[in-house]
Amino acid sequence: MDIILQQWLPVAISIIIAFTAAVLIGRERRARQALEVKFAAIETVLKNSRLQHESLTKQLNELRTGSLGMSDKLIDLIEQIERVEIRQNEIAMNDSGGRLYSRASKMVELGADVNELMKECDLPKAEAELLLSLQKSMPQHYRR
């Protein structure tokens, strides 16, 4: 019995070692495959992230360019507004007679007569009468 045990013990141990090695090799292959799948997924995510980064960089550059263009347009508009304000002030200073006529027109709307217009606005009688007749001949919806 000892002889049989001595002859078959190394064979049995070899079989157990071979089986254990096969099991461990199988586990290692499955683990390697799982890691390869995860690595491929990470590569895909990285590729998508790079593409998204490039797209966002392009969009940012477009926005930056657009905002610089808008800034230039705003500066132009501000300069235009300043020129218009200067021109309006010049016109307002040169149009003292126009204010008198505006005031006289308002007085006519409020019911002033020829004598009041002549006295309050320093208008000649003919101009006061003309304002009154113009105001009366205008349709109601065109009056101020």
Side-chain angles (χ1 to χ4, degrees):
M1 176 93 159
D2 282 335
I3 296 178
I4 294 178
L5 189 61
Q6 286 178 351
Q7 288 177 348
W8 289 104
L9 185 62
V11 172
I13 291 174
S14 296
I15 292 173
I16 292 172
I17 290 173
F19 179 76
T20 305
V23 169
L24 291 175
I25 289 172
R27 284 185 185 171
E28 187 271 334
R29 282 185 185 156
R30 284 190 298 276
R32 186 181 314 147
Q33 286 174 349
L35 286 175
E36 287 175 358
V37 168
K38 287 179 182 179
F39 183 71
I42 289 172
E43 283 181 331
T44 303
V45 168
L46 180 61
K47 181 181 176 183
N48 289 339
S49 296
R50 284 183 182 148
L51 292 174
Q52 187 175 16
H53 179 264
E54 290 173 7
S55 173
L56 290 173
T57 301
K58 286 178 186 177
Q59 290 177 9
L60 179 63
N61 289 334
E62 289 173 4
L63 284 172
R64 191 178 297 147
T65 302
S67 67
L68 289 174
M70 288 301 293
S71 176
D72 291 342
K73 294 271 187 197
L74 284 174
I75 289 170
D76 290 344
L77 286 173
I78 289 169
E79 289 171 354
Q80 265 185 327
I81 289 171
E82 288 172 352
R83 286 192 300 269
V84 167
E85 286 176 348
I86 290 169
R87 184 69 180 131
Q88 281 179 332
N89 290 337
E90 289 173 357
I91 290 171
M93 288 182 181
N94 294 333
D95 190 24
S96 61
R99 281 185 275 171
L100 285 179
Y101 286 112
S102 294
R103 183 173 174 218
S105 176
K106 190 68 173 169
M107 287 177 65
V108 168
E109 287 179 22
L110 295 173
D113 62 8
V114 172
N115 291 330
E116 286 178 299
L117 292 175
M118 289 171 48
K119 180 180 176 186
E120 294 294 323
C121 299
D122 290 330
L123 293 176
K125 185 175 182 177
E127 289 182 11
E129 289 174 345
L130 179 63
L131 272 174
L132 279 170
S133 66
L134 283 173
Q135 192 72 16
K136 289 178 184 174
S137 67
M138 252 196 306
Q140 185 68 29
H141 64 279
Y142 287 122
R143 295 183 191 169
R144 291 183 189 175

